[in-house]
Amino acid sequence: MENGNTVELYIERKKDRGLVGNIYKGKVLRVLPGMQAAFVDVGLDKAAFLYVSDIYTPEGDMTHFMKEPEDDHLDEDDTKQNEAAEFEPGGSGNQDKERHAGSVRQRPIEDLLSEGQEILVQVAKDPIGTKGCRITTNISLAGRHLVYMPFIDHIGISRRITGDQERHRLRDLVSKLKPEGGGFIVRTVAEGLNEKKLKADMTLLINIWKQVTTQAEKLRAPTILHYDLNLSFRATRDLLTADVDKLIIDDPDEFDNIHHFIKNYMPGFRQNVELYSGDEPIFDYFSVEMDLNRALGRKVWLKSGGYIIIDQAEALTAIDVNTGRYVGKRNLEETILKTNLEAVREIAYQLRLRNIGGIIIIDFIDMEREVNRERIFNALQEALVEDRAKTNILKISDFGLVEMTRKRVRESLGRTLCEPCFYCDGKGYLKSKTTICYEIFREIEREIKNLHTPVIHVNCHPEIADLLYEEEGETIAALEKQYKKTLVIRGLVYFHIEQYEVIEKPGSGHSSSGKRSQSHKNASK
């Protein structure tokens, strides 16, 4: 929470705990040269996805594995390969630069993997939507102050450590302490740290890796070799920094666990941890529940009376800005500018709170003056500075649209807490009752020639039956006259509103087609 507002919310439940950071011994199921990717069985419900650029090869192009971290984010920080960060080699001077300049390009995946092969992998991204998790063979182990890379002999320093003297000091210190063959990234919280604490973190990570390799030699794939810390410990490790006032925990057992963790690894923060003992739920006391409910809505109201609409698709999110009830005071351009500026702050907040990733299109209200467009663009950039996830923004187009991307590692808040509506199959809308009536009429015309009894039964939802009897009664009479058959409409309460069927005789099991609205065959079962 920042300034009394919930800005980031991480959720982990025991039955579907996050997988990022877990290390597995997997078996290659399929190699797809056309996609330069492979599916790997790591023992989960869905096969994991391994892209060729996530395969570490000593002779290949390794620069994308060694990019410097710029952030201390719980999911996409220095513990993983930050796609947007820049790599600054360290530890070996000019020899490193020459080696990377001469390194060969990534080999084709069919030369690197074969079906049935057993490999060591780490989860880089949790399953999102219908996709399995994304994995990498470039394994890293995160500690409080360091990240250990057992396969890469390099030293990186977090870009958030800006002082040149401190960067050189840390690099020299880690270079002196580290063993041959592995590499380390120095995290932001290590700034000002002494040799003893760095050495302790380094020893812990190296010992964990030794345990992983020992297990890998004994066990057959697919199997898990190492669980990353649970959410409580990860949040404590990654988010409890000098600018955090308090870590408040409402469970006595979890409080004891975290207090013990901090005592061993972060003793300087013991006074920042407190146990919540209030009568009302902790989410109510800190208004988290209210912020959470607001973050799940499609429409978000602005203080001025305007509002934004957030629509999330599979890989793209559209955000529309509207003036709503706000009518301004002076002129239209000023009204639009004020609404857009207020929307910028709310959009940046909602992206962070909802953890919306992928491609994002923002439709600001059209502004005539170029200087106002520039103000909106600059305001958006400034509002996103506090966002731990990497964002890339393009200039406002002539249509008033901003195209941007935000790095996504885990599911958005909406997809974590919600599920598709069982009634509309997640569409968010249903066919109108009149539309369904006319579908039934066409179905009768299509099938009535194949039905040989004088009475034809139409089964449908009761609300559709009422409409057929009342407003569409003339059409029913016309069909009866045209085909010289009697139509009996039956409303069945257990039918989905879009479900219907045209049959010869109820209970006979003989239906002309078993017709039901195509989009709801599953919903109506």
Side-chain angles (χ1 to χ4, degrees), residues 2 15 44 56 63 97 104 122 133 168 173 230 253 263 266 271 285-286 293 296 357 365 386-387 427 460 518:
E2 294 176 0
K15 65 183 181 66
L44 302 173
Y56 166 73
T63 55
K97 297 177 182 177
V104 297
Q122 185 174 39
C133 60
H168 286 304
L173 199 56
N230 66 28
D253 292 337
K263 181 181 178 181
M266 306 158 57
Q271 70 278 6
Y285 183 81
F286 290 100
N293 289 331
L296 295 177
I365 306 169
E386 296 300 320
D387 196 340
K427 297 198 301 277
C460 57
Q518 189 65 31

Side-chain angles (χ1 to χ4, degrees), residues 13-208:
R13 293 165 178 146
K14 288 183 179 179
K15 65 183 181 66
D16 46 15
R17 182 177 164 182
L19 304 174
V20 172
N22 289 355
I23 300 174
Y24 295 86
K25 186 176 184 180
K27 179 179 287 188
V28 179
L29 295 177
R30 293 179 63 196
V31 178
L32 308 173
M35 294 178 63
Q36 283 299 290
F39 288 107
V40 180
D41 179 13
V42 294
L44 302 173
D45 292 339
K46 295 179 182 177
F49 185 80
L50 177 62
Y51 192 61
V52 67
S53 64
D54 292 322
I55 301 175
Y56 166 73
T57 53
E59 73 280 8
D61 180 7
M62 300 181 293
T63 55
H64 67 290
F65 284 130
M66 299 173 287
K67 294 167 183 173
E68 273 201 12
E70 88 175 281
D71 193 30
D72 281 325
H73 191 220
L74 191 66
D75 284 317
E76 45 204 316
D77 62 347
D78 2 7
T79 65
K80 303 290 169 275
Q81 296 76 42
N82 190 327
E83 296 172 6
E86 295 176 359
F87 169 65
E88 177 184 309
S92 304
N94 293 330
Q95 291 178 352
D96 285 318
K97 297 177 182 177
E98 292 170 4
R99 183 169 64 173
H100 289 301
S103 59
V104 297
R105 294 182 63 85
Q106 182 75 50
R107 289 161 55 193
I109 195 166
E110 57 269 31
D111 293 346
L112 300 173
L113 298 177
S114 58
E115 293 183 7
Q117 180 180 348
E118 294 187 349
I119 56 174
L120 221 58
V121 296
Q122 185 174 39
V123 177
K125 289 186 179 182
D126 276 324
I128 296 177
T130 58
K131 303 172 183 175
C133 60
R134 182 166 172 175
I135 55 177
T136 175
T137 65
N138 180 49
I139 292 168
S140 60
L141 293 169
R144 167 68 176 170
H145 307 110
L146 299 169
V147 177
Y148 179 42
M149 302 176 295
F151 298 137
I152 300 177
D153 187 12
H154 282 275
I155 300 170
I157 310 293
S158 169
R159 278 169 40 184
R160 292 200 170 191
I161 300 176
T162 55
D164 289 339
Q165 185 175 349
E166 177 64 6
R167 293 174 67 87
H168 286 304
R169 183 188 76 85
L170 288 168
R171 180 171 283 118
D172 292 342
L173 199 56
V174 173
S175 180
K176 181 180 77 171
L177 295 173
K178 83 176 189 70
E180 290 292 326
F184 287 89
I185 294 173
V186 181
R187 306 186 69 178
T188 309
V189 290
E191 188 171 5
L193 218 61
N194 58 33
E195 179 177 333
K196 181 180 178 181
K197 290 184 178 179
L198 282 177
K199 178 67 175 176
D201 216 25
M202 192 178 290
T203 303
L204 174 67
L205 295 174
I206 292 172
N207 287 338
I208 291 174

Side-chain angles (χ1 to χ4, degrees), residues 423-424 427-442 460-461 463-465 467-468 471-472 496-500 517 519-520:
Y423 207 80
C424 71
K427 297 198 301 277
Y429 55 85
L430 296 167
K431 292 178 182 177
S432 71
K433 298 179 183 65
T434 302
T435 297
I436 298 168
C437 286
Y438 279 86
E439 284 189 1
I440 291 174
F441 296 150
R442 289 192 294 274
C460 57
H461 189 275
E463 292 185 26
I464 304 300
L467 196 62
L468 289 172
E471 295 182 24
E472 302 297 338
H496 188 281
I497 198 164
E498 292 185 356
Q499 182 185 354
Y500 55 84
S517 176
S519 64
H520 280 281

Side-chain angles (χ1 to χ4, degrees), residues 203-222:
T203 303
L204 174 67
L205 295 174
I206 292 172
N207 287 338
I208 291 174
W209 176 243
K210 287 179 180 178
Q211 293 173 13
V212 170
T213 54
T214 301
Q215 289 287 92
E217 293 173 0
K218 295 178 181 178
L219 302 176
R220 297 190 62 182

